[in-house]
């Protein structure tokens, strides 16, 4: 923490796990060591008492003997606006990501309504954005609305089975009203 307004951190994480080989002949699938490395750079800057900027870059590599090396990257920018004298809070995010496969997916926490936990995986190539609004009124009520959209640049459909979406765009909506008794 160089100052009260600026926080910076770097994270390196290495995992070695055993997984089934990809090049199995259909009989007994052998295990192989898979090495995953994650590199993260995170920066948080308080522009003022009510405005905060968060930036993150994360890079992942996967090495496995039965497959070519794979990697992925995500760049995330958040803007959080929490004014003290106004009853509306706003959180905005824009993310760009590019991974070679689902194996190199990157998880990133997303702000959401109270008691709603959101840590989606980002994979393939695309972008994601969301806006979260919270309106507090009459001292007892909080109303949240969150809209997010993901656009995958190199896909013609998203998901599979009953949850398959034809097209490259997926959106989500959260609406919540909390009453304090």
């Amino acid at each position: 923490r160089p100052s009260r307004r600026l926080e910076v951190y770097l994270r390196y994480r290495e995992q070695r796990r055993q997984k089934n080989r990809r090049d199995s002949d259909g009989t007994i699938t052998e295990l192989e060591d898979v090495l995953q490395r994650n590199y993260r750079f995170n920066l948080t800057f308080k522009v003022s008492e009510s405005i905060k900027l968060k930036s993150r870059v994360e890079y992942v590599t996967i090495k496995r003997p039965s497959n070519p090396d794979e990697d992925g990257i995500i760049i995330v920018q958040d803007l959080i606006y929490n004014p003290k004298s106004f009853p509306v809070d706003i959180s905005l995010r824009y993310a760009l990501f590019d991974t070679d496969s689902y194996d190199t997916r990157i998880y990133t926490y997303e702000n959401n309504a109270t008691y709603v936990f959101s840590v989606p995986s980002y994979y393939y190539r695309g972008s994601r954005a969301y806006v979260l609004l919270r309106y507090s009124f009459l001292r007892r009520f909080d109303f949240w609305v969150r809209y997010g959209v993901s656009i995958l640049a190199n896909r013609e459909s998203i998901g599979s089975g009953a949850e398959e979406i034809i097209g490259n765009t997926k959106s989500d909506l959260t609406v919540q009203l909390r009453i304090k008794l």
Side-chain angles (χ1 to χ4, degrees), residues 20-86:
N20 291 335
R21 288 183 64 88
R22 288 270 175 94
D23 56 358
S24 171
D25 61 1
T27 57
I28 297 175
T29 305
E30 296 178 31
L31 292 176
E32 66 182 353
D33 285 331
V34 178
L35 178 65
Q36 177 177 333
R37 291 185 173 124
N38 291 66
Y39 308 87
R40 178 185 292 175
F41 172 74
N42 197 85
L43 182 125
T44 303
F45 181 67
K46 277 184 100 169
V47 177
S48 67
E49 280 299 313
S50 56
I51 298 174
K52 188 187 305 185
L53 294 172
K54 291 183 176 183
S55 303
R56 173 178 289 174
V57 177
E58 187 158 350
Y59 178 71
V60 61
T61 63
I62 301 262
K63 295 185 183 299
R64 63 187 313 159
S66 65
N67 231 36
D69 292 352
E70 296 181 347
D71 65 355
I73 190 167
I74 187 168
I75 301 168
V76 179
Q77 181 62 59
D78 289 328
L79 170 68
I80 300 164
Y81 179 60
N82 296 344
K84 303 281 186 235
S85 60
F86 194 64

Side-chain angles (χ1 to χ4, degrees), residues 155-166:
R155 298 286 142 194
E156 294 177 14
S157 68
I158 300 172
S160 62
E163 294 191 10
E164 183 175 15
I165 298 169
I166 304 302

Side-chain angles (χ1 to χ4, degrees), residues 59-158:
Y59 178 71
V60 61
T61 63
I62 301 262
K63 295 185 183 299
R64 63 187 313 159
S66 65
N67 231 36
D69 292 352
E70 296 181 347
D71 65 355
I73 190 167
I74 187 168
I75 301 168
V76 179
Q77 181 62 59
D78 289 328
L79 170 68
I80 300 164
Y81 179 60
N82 296 344
K84 303 281 186 235
S85 60
F86 194 64
V88 175
D89 295 343
I90 302 169
S91 294
L92 301 167
R93 165 169 290 174
Y94 185 69
L96 293 170
F97 53 94
D98 186 6
T99 68
D100 289 335
S101 71
Y102 183 73
D103 283 347
T104 51
R105 66 195 174 273
I106 300 171
Y107 293 95
T108 299
Y109 172 80
E110 292 185 350
N111 292 319
N112 211 324
T114 298
Y115 312 120
V116 179
F117 189 68
S118 181
V119 184
S121 57
Y122 294 77
Y123 55 94
Y124 299 132
R125 178 181 304 140
S127 62
R128 174 150 174 84
Y130 73 79
V131 59
L132 171 65
L133 302 172
R134 184 186 81 168
Y135 175 56
S136 300
F137 58 100
L138 300 177
R139 302 179 120 195
R140 300 180 64 199
F141 298 93
D142 287 319
F143 180 71
W144 282 270
V145 176
R146 180 181 185 265
Y147 178 74
V149 63
S150 298
I151 300 171
L152 299 180
N154 56 353
R155 298 286 142 194
E156 294 177 14
S157 68
I158 300 172

